[in-house]
Amino acid sequence: MITKGGQFLAMEKIDTSVKEARSLPMCVGEIPGTATYHVTIPAGEIYSLAADDQHFNIFILIEGNVTMESDGVTQDFDERVTFVPAPECEMILTAKTNSQLVRIAWDITDEDVKLRAEYGTEFPLIQPYATGIQYVDPNKSPKTISRMMIPHKIIPRFAIGSVESYGYDFVKPHSHPMLDQFFFSFPENKMSLIINGEYIPMDGNVMVHIPLGADHGVEVTGTDHLHYMWIDFLPDNEAGLRRLDERHKPTGTVRDLENEDKFRNNDK
């Protein structure tokens, strides 16, 4: 789409009503070194990913129930879990119900091989959404819940997290030229995305590339639900890590907006 300011904004909505097996590319060519896909696995069918030492393949289960098998590990997953097989290992997913996933393939560089050894991450990496580390960020209100789905220094030059709130709430517009970024909205999301001062409606199941260096924020009004993932790629690893260290401060607490009635009723 073209914004009012004349800037092109790659913004694609996935169709979760499709039941056939497919892997549909999204936002092609938007961020160097990445490929993103909407993966659909019908109930009872199998999705296999061959060993791939050229990419980290990050999966987010959006809807459904699957069983993952990789490197001797078998694990059943419900909705909203993030998992990453070892690049050198095959992975097989068996869908118990019709399932929808986002797959992100992130190029592995020579430096990434060194960083992987330094980080010592164990694969397959499995992070249930509900137990993600919660953090605070100065651009967000105290009402907002922010989660780290994969913190930085786990996958080289990569991090992923989420932002959740109810109206009214506001994420202050900001920019970060050291982080390239996708947003992907959970199905229940209904908010306005703010790009360089322009308000753009964004509902659920939408992938959007936040232009590198663009001033961006979000707003949610009424009793609408704001709930999206940020997916960060670090073209400048040192500067990106420094920003994430400075801005994302773990709270040491576990909050759930579903149980905070005052936030579901405009703080009344």
Side-chain angles (χ1 to χ4, degrees):
M1 65 176 293
I2 304 295
T3 68
K4 292 177 183 176
Q7 183 170 26
F8 176 77
L9 189 67
M11 191 172 191
E12 300 180 19
K13 185 176 178 67
I14 66 173
D15 184 358
T16 58
S17 68
V18 174
K19 305 305 179 186
E20 64 193 47
R22 70 177 187 180
S23 180
L24 185 67
M26 298 186 289
C27 295
V28 175
E30 284 297 309
I31 297 181
T34 73
T36 60
Y37 305 88
H38 171 215
V39 176
T40 305
I41 316 173
E45 296 197 15
I46 289 174
Y47 170 92
S48 61
L49 182 72
D52 176 12
D53 63 4
Q54 300 301 304
H55 302 91
F56 291 106
N57 283 283
I58 300 103
F59 288 84
I60 305 103
L61 182 61
I62 303 299
E63 295 180 7
N65 298 269
V66 301
T67 299
M68 182 205 72
E69 299 173 71
S70 185
D71 197 20
V73 174
T74 300
Q75 184 81 38
D76 291 335
F77 294 143
D78 296 321
E79 294 179 27
R80 297 187 187 171
V81 61
T82 305
F83 54 98
V84 188
E88 63 275 9
C89 293
E90 177 188 29
M91 185 190 72
I92 296 174
L93 297 178
T94 304
K96 295 184 286 185
T97 62
N98 293 329
S99 299
Q100 312 278 340
L101 303 98
V102 170
R103 172 191 166 203
I104 304 155
W106 180 221
D107 287 358
I108 296 175
T109 67
D110 290 342
E111 184 62 26
D112 290 342
V113 175
K114 299 175 185 177
L115 288 172
R116 176 183 173 182
E118 177 185 326
Y119 295 163
T121 302
E122 295 185 5
F123 294 92
L125 173 65
I126 300 169
Q127 178 56 62
Y129 185 74
T131 59
I133 296 169
Q134 297 188 11
Y135 70 92
V136 293
D137 181 323
N139 292 316
K140 303 177 178 71
S141 79
K143 172 178 173 176
T144 308
I145 294 180
S146 298
R147 297 175 174 90
M148 300 180 190
M149 297 165 65
I150 298 181
H152 52 291
K153 300 181 184 178
I154 301 293
I155 302 293
R157 302 180 299 114
F158 179 86
I160 182 171
S162 69
V163 181
E164 182 180 20
S165 192
Y166 286 88
Y168 177 81
D169 206 356
F170 182 69
V171 176
K172 183 170 62 176
H174 58 284
S175 64
H176 38 62
M178 75 296 292
L179 300 172
D180 216 346
Q181 189 173 66
F182 286 122
F183 279 5
F184 183 80
S185 54
F186 287 116
E188 64 274 14
N189 181 76
K190 186 176 182 182
M191 67 183 189
S192 291
L193 175 65
I194 309 168
I195 298 289
N196 294 331
E198 182 174 346
Y199 284 66
I200 301 167
M202 184 172 176
D203 58 8
N205 293 321
V206 171
M207 178 76 83
V208 59
H209 177 210
I210 305 300
L212 188 62
D215 205 40
H216 63 284
V218 301
E219 183 182 50
V220 59
T221 60
T223 56
D224 288 339
H225 194 169
L226 175 159
H227 206 184
Y228 66 92
M229 296 183 286
W230 50 262
I231 306 167
D232 280 359
F233 305 88
L234 284 58
D236 184 334
N237 191 51
E238 184 176 342
L241 292 177
R242 185 165 56 248
R243 180 183 173 91
L244 290 169
D245 279 337
E246 291 172 351
R247 309 288 287 194
H248 291 185
K249 301 296 185 183
T251 63
T253 60
V254 178
R255 292 176 51 214
D256 180 357
L257 288 187
E258 292 294 331
N259 296 320
E260 297 185 15
D261 288 341
K262 64 179 180 178
F263 292 150
R264 293 178 59 85
N265 293 285
N266 278 327
D267 296 340
K268 295 178 181 178

